C-alpha cells in the first residue's frame, strides 16, 4: 500500500522534473547573455554619453558667462 500511495507523488515529481529540469541551465545561459550584452553594449554607451553631458554643460556655461560679460560691459 505504501508504494501505491507514493506513486502519484513520484509521478508528479517526474513530470515536474521533466518540465522544469533544464530550466536552471537555460536561466544561467540567459544570465550570461544579458551580462555580456550589458558589458559589451550598454556600459560603453553609458560611459560615452556620461562624459558628453558634462562637456555640453560646460560649453553652455561658457556661453552664459560670455553673455553675462557682454551685458555687463554695456
Amino acid at each position: 500500500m505504501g508504494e501505491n500511495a507514493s506513486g502519484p507523488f513520484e509521478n508528479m515529481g517526474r513530470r515536474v522534473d521533466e518540465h522544469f529540469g533544464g530550466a536552471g541551465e537555460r536561466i544561467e545561459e540567459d544570465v550570461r547573455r544579458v551580462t555580456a550584452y550589458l558589458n559589451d553594449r550598454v556600459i560603453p554607451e553609458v560611459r560615452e554619453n556620461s562624459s558628453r553631458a558634462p562637456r555640453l554643460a560646460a560649453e553652455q556655461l561658457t556661453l552664459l558667462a560670455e553673455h553675462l560679460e557682454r551685458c555687463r560691459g554695456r
Side-chain angles (χ1 to χ4, degrees):
M1 180 166 180
E3 188 174 318
N4 289 337
S6 65
F9 292 108
E10 288 178 13
N11 289 335
M12 185 180 72
R14 282 191 203 104
R15 285 189 302 233
V16 168
D17 192 44
E18 288 172 3
H19 188 71
F20 294 108
E25 294 170 4
R26 290 189 302 268
I27 291 171
E28 287 178 10
E29 179 58 33
D30 287 346
V31 168
R32 280 193 288 273
R33 285 196 345 250
V34 168
T35 302
Y37 176 77
L38 290 172
N39 286 333
D40 296 344
R41 303 289 303 266
V42 174
I43 291 174
E45 186 74 22
V46 167
R47 284 182 180 151
E48 180 180 329
N49 290 329
S50 66
S51 66
R52 193 176 300 166
R55 291 179 196 281
L56 290 173
E59 290 174 14
Q60 292 299 313
L61 288 171
T62 299
L63 293 174
L64 176 62
E66 290 171 357
H67 173 73
L68 291 173
E69 287 174 355
R70 282 194 306 271
C71 288
R72 188 174 36 177
R74 289 184 184 175

